[in-house]
Amino acid sequence: MSVESFVVNVTSPVGPFAVVGTREGVEAIYLPSERWRASRGDAPAAVAKAAAQLREYFHGSRRYFDLALAPVAATEFQREVWSAVAAIPYGQVRTYGEVAGDVRRPFAARAVGNAAHVNPWPIVVPCHRVVGANSLGGYGGGEEIKRFLLELEGVL
């Protein structure tokens, strides 16, 4: 988080998410388990837009996001995984193995899970849509939140 970052909390049925960013874009979205104090004053347009779009998503009226995402430090593999995850349509899931195949590393399912776990923009880059071959798989925010998001999208 940069010095001039601004924080907006977004209420959801599973707890508050925090959108962190600057006028250039969204730096991160934090899950309810990661409490952030909201900033005072008017949010930069990029942060306010992200918060509004998250609220619409939680109300069931938004299926995709159109946001400015700030550059973040990441490996090339992480960026490839995040790009593949971002391409998973609303209401659909892919397995970790399928995403590994999408990034041309068919034996890297576990590494896909690790890259998804450090995704700085959950929901916007929908790592909750990546599941295990025979289970929901993990989620940084916990199974309850992953289940809620998949139910919201009509997957479960």
Side-chain angles (χ1 to χ4, degrees):
M1 185 167 100
S2 67
V3 174
E4 65 273 353
S5 293
F6 197 93
V7 179
V8 172
N9 287 326
V10 176
T11 303
S12 83
V14 289
F17 285 74
V19 178
V20 179
T22 65
R23 67 177 174 264
E24 283 79 37
V26 177
E27 297 172 319
I29 296 173
Y30 290 97
L31 300 164
S33 60
E34 305 166 298
R35 303 268 180 200
W36 282 81
R37 183 180 305 257
S39 300
R40 294 182 187 267
D42 295 330
V47 178
K49 182 177 180 182
Q53 289 187 16
L54 272 177
R55 286 184 193 98
E56 292 167 355
Y57 172 82
F58 290 129
H59 287 114
S61 61
R62 176 163 293 277
R63 293 177 175 243
Y64 67 93
F65 294 88
D66 177 25
L67 300 173
L69 301 178
V72 296
T75 67
E76 185 61 32
F77 177 75
Q78 288 169 332
R79 291 182 194 289
E80 289 175 11
V81 169
W82 298 341
S83 180
V85 169
I88 302 170
Y90 181 97
Q92 295 183 27
V93 295
R94 301 286 185 274
T95 66
Y96 295 100
E98 288 171 329
V99 174
D102 291 344
V103 298
R104 299 166 315 284
R105 292 177 180 86
F107 302 108
R110 184 169 287 161
V112 164
N114 290 335
H117 183 72
V118 296
N119 163 23
W121 308 287
I123 301 176
V124 172
V125 175
C127 51
H128 63 278
R129 296 180 189 153
V130 184
V131 299
N134 299 307
S135 70
L136 277 182
Y139 192 67
E143 184 179 324
E144 175 189 351
I145 292 176
K146 186 170 189 171
R147 183 174 298 284
F148 165 78
L149 296 171
L150 293 174
E151 286 174 354
L152 177 68
E153 295 185 15
V155 175
L156 298 179

